[in-house]
Amino acid sequence: MRGVSLERTAVGVGLRPPFYGHVHEHAPAVGFFEVISENFLDPRSPASAHLARIADRYPIVLHGVTLNLLGPEPLDEAYLDQISRLADRVRAPYVTDHLCWTGAHGVTHHDLLPVPYTEEIADLAAERATYVQRRLGRPFGLENLSSYVELADSTMTEWEFYTRVVQAADVGFMLDVNNVYVSSVNHGFDPRTYIDRIEGSRVLQIHLAGHSREPSGLIVDTHDAPVCDEVWDLYRYTWQRLGPVPTLVEWDAKIPPMPQVLAELDRAREVRG
Amino acid sequence: MTRPVPDALAAFQQRFSAMLRTPLDRSTGTLRATPARYPAELQTCITAGAVPVDERLAVYNRQYWFRFFTVLQGVYPLTTALVGAWAFNGLVARFLEANPPTGHELGMLGDGLAEHLRATPPVTDVPATALAEVLAHDVAFHRAWTAPNAEPLRMTADLAPRLERGRFVRAPSFSLLRESWPWVTMRHELPTPLGEHRVPMPKRHPAPRDWLVGRAGSTIHVVPLEPAQAVLLEQLSHDPLPAVLARLEDQLGTDACRGVQRWLAHAMDLGVWTAFEDTP
């Protein structure tokens, strides 16, 4: 089933339950909504009823958090069926998830976890991502992680690994600019070098979010604060470097009222000029 | 079907998983990561930088547990308020150590927590009956918000003759609740955000009270029940209507059962039932 189209200049919001009422009542000027796929797998749930109403008025894109692309077990076929049906229900133009593992040996960790950046693992990730895209029958994108460790077995940089996977799989980048910034601080690289290596035509969407700083100096991707100035600067650079890309602001904790999030969308439009 | 991950990656994932699930230490009165308990082999997998490896791994370890504590405090707000966030997090940790998450939906993480705590009661100064009641209230309200939508049962011409030989099936969002303390009132008065502090035990009711909680459309209904109404709603899930009405009159007397038929119609209008099952 074909999805609805999305403008390359669209700005969107991560749809969270506190926003349902505002969206139903005020129909705010939002280019699209992104939903956490796992929260809408049951089509009979109240959340799915809200989503159905919103999908009648806005483009919806799906963003998963438990695909477990690089988990030790084979991909969960029943889960892929559910995602595929959900994508059909909301006519999603594309589906995204993360370049990581999220569980192992039957246990779901509900976190986005790192792997060593090697050619062997990149090739495996590409093979699985190709499979997922074919299985879902629509464009599939992979998001870069925020990370707090670098693994000794890595033989390439994160951006080399990410680019290799996306290109080999012929899928899209779900480029999280905040995550690039977070990892650049945590691991001491220039985030613009990372952005420079991303192939603009393959970027399906950009994520912007807030983060928090630990006493150790590490930055943690908490999605509980406004987008900071450094990330807005990197977003401006990304936009200039890659061209128009649908952009999303996401909150997952200490979620503010919808008008405050809408003000961040205005800031996104303003920053990119 | 895709090929498995390399053995070295699977081994790394096993160690990383063990690190994530390492319980946070509670001995100092704050929840602290204890890197000394992480698998030793994991240390050699991480490149040292300006921030020590232990501190980097501890971010993942703390994030793992605090994510679950936050989610479950949201599902069990009354229980959290009554035992306090500190004690509640301890109960959650104990539950998740024994029952690690396996599903895709974070919102279902707490499925089984109430049963787990009933089976292995925690050491707390909250009376066991009170703890059991607040757990049941939290589960019922969570279900009211999240249970799948179901078509309400309507009284039709073909249903009437079947009432003598079947039972009503309650809609998944509806629950019957009994409270010996004013939990429903307490829930309405909980602070937002919940905070760390315990809410004092309220004064016990002179006699238990019954409630019906559920969702009709997008509206949550919290309905106080008379004793006869509570018995009726409970027993209709098991026995045919005439038998339930007769038993009700025996138990409560004719006066107490006045208006039961009208209440039955009201419950049907609310969407309390979703089906009627004939019994052999």
Side-chain angles (χ1 to χ4, degrees), chain A residues 18-273:
Chain A
F19 300 152
Y20 294 160
H22 186 97
V23 175
H24 293 321
E25 195 173 336
H26 300 287
V30 172
F32 67 106
F33 286 102
E34 179 192 83
V35 299
I36 302 296
S37 311
E38 285 77 359
N39 295 339
F40 300 90
L41 295 179
D42 183 347
R44 302 163 306 151
S45 72
S48 290
H50 284 291
L51 181 59
R53 281 180 66 185
I54 294 168
D56 282 342
R57 306 172 77 159
Y58 296 91
I60 303 291
V61 299
L62 303 186
H63 186 56
V65 289
T66 61
L67 172 63
N68 203 12
L69 186 76
L70 283 167
E73 290 93 3
L75 293 172
D76 183 339
E77 297 291 337
Y79 169 75
L80 288 172
D81 283 339
Q82 289 178 301
I83 296 293
S84 189
R85 286 196 292 268
L86 173 59
D88 285 347
R89 285 207 311 271
V90 299
R91 302 177 302 283
Y94 51 82
V95 174
T96 63
D97 206 296
H98 299 82
L99 179 51
C100 71
W101 60 290
T102 57
H105 310 104
V107 175
T108 307
H109 296 321
H110 293 286
D111 201 356
L112 310 168
L113 303 168
V115 293
Y117 301 137
T118 68
E119 291 182 4
E120 182 184 26
I121 295 174
D123 292 346
L124 176 69
E127 192 179 297
R128 289 186 172 188
T130 302
Y131 176 78
V132 170
Q133 182 166 254
R134 194 171 61 239
R135 187 80 161 59
L136 297 178
R138 57 196 356 111
F140 175 61
L142 283 170
E143 179 178 335
N144 54 302
L145 300 190
S146 283
S147 71
Y148 316 110
V149 294
E150 286 187 301
L151 302 181
D153 285 345
S154 292
T155 57
M156 59 179 80
T157 62
E158 181 183 322
W159 53 90
E160 288 167 343
F161 180 78
Y162 187 27
T163 301
R164 182 183 175 112
V165 172
V166 166
Q167 290 179 341
D170 194 21
V171 299
F173 291 101
M174 164 62 257
L175 180 63
D176 191 314
V177 171
N178 176 59
N179 287 355
V180 172
Y181 177 75
V182 167
S183 294
S184 77
V185 172
N186 290 343
H187 306 310
F189 62 78
D190 180 353
R192 295 187 177 208
T193 303
Y194 194 126
I195 300 299
D196 288 344
R197 293 297 299 270
I198 300 297
E199 188 184 339
S201 63
R202 283 192 181 275
V203 181
L204 289 175
Q205 188 184 308
I206 283 174
H207 271 178
L208 298 170
H211 54 248
S212 61
R213 193 175 288 268
E214 298 264 300
S216 65
L218 289 175
I219 297 183
V220 180
D221 181 34
T222 45
H223 296 188
D224 66 349
V227 178
C228 71
D229 288 344
E230 292 85 348
V231 171
W232 284 123
D233 288 345
L234 189 59
Y235 174 57
R236 182 184 298 108
Y237 180 80
T238 304
W239 188 269
Q240 289 165 352
R241 173 79 181 68
L242 305 180
V245 181
T247 300
L248 181 108
V249 173
E250 53 179 355
W251 285 78
D252 286 298
K254 300 178 187 167
I255 297 175
M258 185 90 191
Q260 187 179 326
V261 181
L262 296 176
E264 282 195 297
L265 299 194
D266 290 338
R267 176 97 189 260
R269 295 183 187 102
E270 184 186 306
V271 159
R272 68 203 196 193

Side-chain angles (χ1 to χ4, degrees), chain B:
Chain B
M1 192 61 72
T2 51
R3 63 192 165 94
V5 301
D7 290 344
L9 177 56
F12 164 74
Q13 288 169 328
Q14 192 160 26
R15 291 170 191 142
F16 206 92
S17 298
M19 177 276 294
L20 285 176
R21 293 182 45 72
T22 301
L24 299 176
D25 177 60
R26 300 168 59 86
S27 63
T28 58
T30 58
L31 289 167
R32 290 171 55 248
T34 50
R37 297 175 62 193
Y38 298 161
E41 303 92 331
L42 196 57
Q43 304 278 335
T44 60
C45 299
I46 314 295
T47 305
V51 176
V53 169
D54 281 351
E55 187 49 45
R56 291 174 181 276
L57 291 174
V59 170
Y60 288 99
N61 185 203
R62 285 192 297 267
Q63 290 265 103
Y64 176 85
W65 286 109
F66 277 99
R67 175 177 296 109
F68 296 156
F69 295 155
T70 304
V71 168
L72 287 176
Q73 285 180 18
V75 175
Y76 291 89
L78 203 55
T79 310
T80 304
L82 196 66
V83 303
W86 172 260
F88 181 77
N89 291 347
L91 302 180
V92 167
R94 200 181 67 173
F95 169 66
L96 290 176
E97 283 168 36
N99 304 277
T102 56
H104 289 281
E105 296 174 60
L106 196 52
M108 295 171 72
L109 188 70
D111 289 4
L113 175 63
E115 292 79 1
H116 173 84
L117 294 179
R118 276 195 287 271
T120 55
V123 177
T124 168
D125 55 0
V126 175
T129 312
L131 186 62
E133 285 188 4
V134 291
L135 285 165
H137 274 241
D138 280 332
V139 168
F141 276 82
H142 183 62
R143 189 181 295 145
W145 283 108
T146 61
N149 292 321
E151 278 298 310
L153 178 71
R154 296 296 178 217
M155 184 57 79
T156 55
D158 69 319
L159 178 60
R162 294 164 56 204
L163 293 176
E164 291 192 10
R165 56 176 196 282
R167 64 182 194 92
F168 288 88
V169 178
R170 206 180 294 150
S173 79
F174 277 90
S175 303
L176 294 173
L177 286 172
R178 169 156 288 201
E179 61 171 27
S180 308
W181 291 264
W183 306 130
V184 170
T185 304
M186 187 171 152
R187 174 180 301 275
H188 283 301
E189 294 170 353
L190 288 178
T192 307
L194 206 48
E196 295 283 316
H197 299 294
R198 293 178 65 172
V199 173
M201 270 292 288
K203 191 177 169 196
R204 189 169 187 150
H205 290 316
R209 297 180 186 173
D210 296 295
W211 297 85
L212 173 70
V213 177
R215 189 184 72 248
S218 57
T219 305
I220 301 296
H221 294 276
V222 183
V223 183
L225 299 176
E226 296 298 325
Q229 295 167 341
V231 172
L232 178 78
L233 290 181
E234 170 58 29
Q235 295 195 357
L236 284 178
S237 296
H238 309 288
D239 297 314
L241 179 62
V244 171
L245 290 176
R247 199 180 305 144
L248 206 56
E249 284 206 14
D250 279 352
Q251 285 176 358
L252 302 173
T254 309
D255 284 352
C257 296
R258 260 186 241 291
V260 154
Q261 298 279 10
R262 196 168 60 248
W263 166 251
L264 196 62
H266 177 57
M268 193 165 274
D269 286 344
L270 274 180
V272 171
W273 296 292
T274 188
F276 188 84
E277 280 184 352
D278 294 310
T279 49

